[in-house]
Amino acid sequence: MKTVRNLLVFIAILAWTAAVAVAQGVAPLTPGPHDMLATAGPQADHIGRLWNLFLTVCTAVFIAVFAAFLYSIWRPRRADARTPADLSSLDRHERGPYRSVVFGVVLSTVLLLGLVFASVWTDRALARMPLVDAVNLRITGNQWWWDIEYDAVPSSDSFRTANEIHVPVGRPVLVTLRSDDVIHSLWVPNLAGKKDLIPGRTALMQFRADKPGLSRGQCAEFCGFQHAFMGFEVIADPPDVYEAWAARQRQEAPSPTDPQLRRGQQVFLGSTCVMCHAIQGTDANARKGPDLTHVAGRTTLASGVLPNNAEDLKRWIQNPQKIKPGTNMPSSTLPDADLNALVAYLESLK
Ligand code: CUA
C-alpha cells in the first residue's frame, strides 16, 4: 500500500512540475519583438539551435532519470514483520546494477562532451559572420540610456542618435561597445546574444537582420536603480528606407521660422538643457545626454519609458525624477509658456 501511495505522490509532483512548465511556456510561444525563439538573423539562429539541442538532450535525460527512479521504487519487494529482507545480494557481485552504472557514466560523459562541442562550435560560428560592407556602430552605455554613433567614411557622414538603432536588412552590423560609468549589457534576443559593456574596455559584437521589422533590446546587466528601464529598439529597414533615414539623420536641425518654435529654441539654448544635450546646427553640443537633433523622429523617450508625443515630452521635462527616479536629468522650473514653446520646438525636430 505504501509503495502505491508513494508512487501516487510522485506522479502528482511530476504532473505539477509539468503543469508549471506548460504554464510558463505559454507566453513565449507567441513570437514578439523581444524573443530569442523568434529569430531575425543568423547570430540568433545559431543560438536558437544550440538552445533547442540543450532543451532536447536535457528533457530526454530528465525523463530517463525520472523513469528509472519510478521503476526503482516500484520494483523491489519491501520487507515487513512477516517477511524479513533478503540481504543475500550484498554478498554477491551483481552484474546488472554494475553494468547500469557503467552505462550511465559513459552516456553522461558522451552527452556532456557533445554539448561542450556544440557550444564551442556555436561560438566559432558567431565569430565567423562575414563583415563585408558592414555598418559601423559605436554604442556607449550610460545610466540609463544608450548613446549610438554611426561611424562613416568620410567622417562628415557620421551621426549620433540615442536609444533607437536603424539597420539595413541583409547588411552586417559591427558594433563597438563602451561604457562610461558602470557595467551594462547589450541584448537584442531576436538578433544576437548578450555582450557586456565594461568601463575602460572596448568589446565588439556583430549581427545581421535578415528580415525587416522591430526588435526590442534591453540592458541585461544590473546597472543601478533604473536598470529595468534601459531599453532600446532595433528597427531593420529595407536598404532604401535605411538610406533615406540615415540621410535625414546626417542633416542639421533647421533654423525655425515659426515664432513659437523660435521661442522654443531660445528657451533651449538659454536654459540648462545645453549643459547635457546637443542639437546639430545650433550652439548646443554637449554629449552628457542624448543627442536631440532628430528627437521627434524617435518612437520613444527616456530609453523606452514613454511614447514620444508632446504631452509625454512635457511631463518628462517637467519632472523626470517622478517618471524615472535617479535619472541625471534635473526637473525644470520653466514657466508654462516657455515650456510649451520648448516642447513644440523639440517635437519639430524630426
Ligand atoms: Cu544598464 Cu542595466
Side-chain angles (χ1 to χ4, degrees):
M1 266 329 273
K2 254 187 177 172
T3 309
V4 174
R5 193 199 63 190
N6 289 347
L7 201 58
L8 287 175
V9 169
F10 278 115
I11 288 172
I13 292 173
L14 190 62
W16 171 251
T17 314
V20 170
V22 168
Q24 285 177 342
V26 167
L29 288 180
T30 318
H34 191 83
D35 181 355
M36 63 154 285
L37 298 177
T39 59
Q43 305 297 76
D45 282 340
H46 287 308
I47 296 169
R49 275 196 290 273
L50 185 67
W51 155 261
N52 284 333
L53 177 72
F54 267 74
L55 182 68
T56 309
V57 170
C58 293
T59 305
V61 170
F62 175 78
I63 290 171
V65 169
F66 216 88
F69 171 61
L70 288 178
Y71 176 69
S72 71
I73 57 170
W74 166 75
R75 193 192 65 145
R77 297 228 174 87
R78 295 301 166 99
D80 59 28
R82 271 169 296 162
T83 48
D86 172 15
L87 299 177
S88 63
S89 68
L90 293 179
D91 300 327
R92 285 199 309 269
H93 178 72
E94 287 189 292
R95 295 189 77 104
Y98 180 75
R99 275 194 198 141
S100 304
V101 170
V102 170
F103 175 74
V105 168
V106 170
L107 185 65
S108 303
T109 310
V110 168
L111 287 177
L112 285 174
L113 283 177
L115 293 179
V116 168
F117 178 78
S119 304
V120 171
W121 187 88
T122 301
D123 220 26
R124 289 174 64 101
L126 291 175
R128 272 200 300 242
M129 198 190 88
L131 288 170
V132 185
D133 189 29
V135 177
N136 285 292
L137 282 184
R138 246 181 310 149
I139 299 185
T140 307
N142 298 275
Q143 283 175 315
W144 293 275
W145 61 282
W146 304 91
D147 192 19
I148 296 152
E149 289 166 276
Y150 284 72
D151 272 337
V153 181
S155 63
S156 58
D157 279 354
S158 301
F159 58 88
R160 191 168 160 247
T161 180
N163 305 324
E164 189 174 300
I165 303 168
H166 284 249
V167 296
V169 169
R171 241 173 99 187
V173 181
L174 177 63
V175 190
T176 309
L177 298 164
R178 288 180 45 238
S179 168
D180 276 345
D181 39 40
V182 298
I183 300 176
H184 305 272
S185 184
L186 188 97
W187 187 38
V188 195
N190 299 47
L191 289 169
K194 295 171 188 171
K195 195 83 179 189
D196 281 2
L197 296 78
I198 300 172
R201 294 172 66 168
T202 52
L204 291 175
M205 79 178 283
Q206 55 262 58
F207 68 87
R208 195 178 73 218
D210 282 344
K211 30 186 145 162
L214 169 80
S215 301
R216 194 184 169 281
Q218 170 64 37
C219 179
E221 176 81 34
F222 181 71
C223 56
F225 206 18
Q226 296 295 337
H227 153 70
F229 295 106
M230 194 170 161
F232 61 101
E233 288 181 342
V234 181
I235 296 154
D237 294 320
D240 51 330
V241 176
Y242 168 78
E243 289 304 336
W245 173 84
R248 262 198 318 281
Q249 299 299 308
R250 285 184 200 111
Q251 284 167 13
E252 296 183 335
S255 291
T257 46
D258 178 273
Q260 168 85 339
L261 301 185
R262 207 149 4 136
R263 179 169 174 187
Q265 190 188 45
Q266 281 158 5
V267 171
F268 181 87
L269 295 173
S271 71
T272 49
C273 306
V274 286
M275 312 277 279
C276 298
H277 295 285
I279 294 180
Q280 305 305 325
T282 72
D283 288 340
N285 55 14
R287 297 174 64 95
K288 193 98 190 77
D291 188 301
L292 300 178
T293 311
H294 298 282
V295 62
R298 306 203 273 261
T299 52
T300 66
L301 296 169
S303 212
V305 172
L306 296 171
N308 191 355
N309 56 56
E311 203 176 303
D312 285 304
L313 179 59
K314 188 173 167 183
R315 281 204 302 134
W316 172 247
I317 296 171
Q318 269 177 323
N319 196 351
Q321 297 300 327
K322 189 176 166 197
I323 294 163
K324 207 166 168 178
T327 179
N328 283 325
M329 175 132 158
S331 300
S332 136
T333 49
L334 292 170
D336 223 33
D338 282 355
L339 186 61
N340 287 336
L342 174 62
V343 168
Y345 169 61
L346 290 174
E347 285 293 302
S348 76
L349 300 176
K350 299 273 186 205

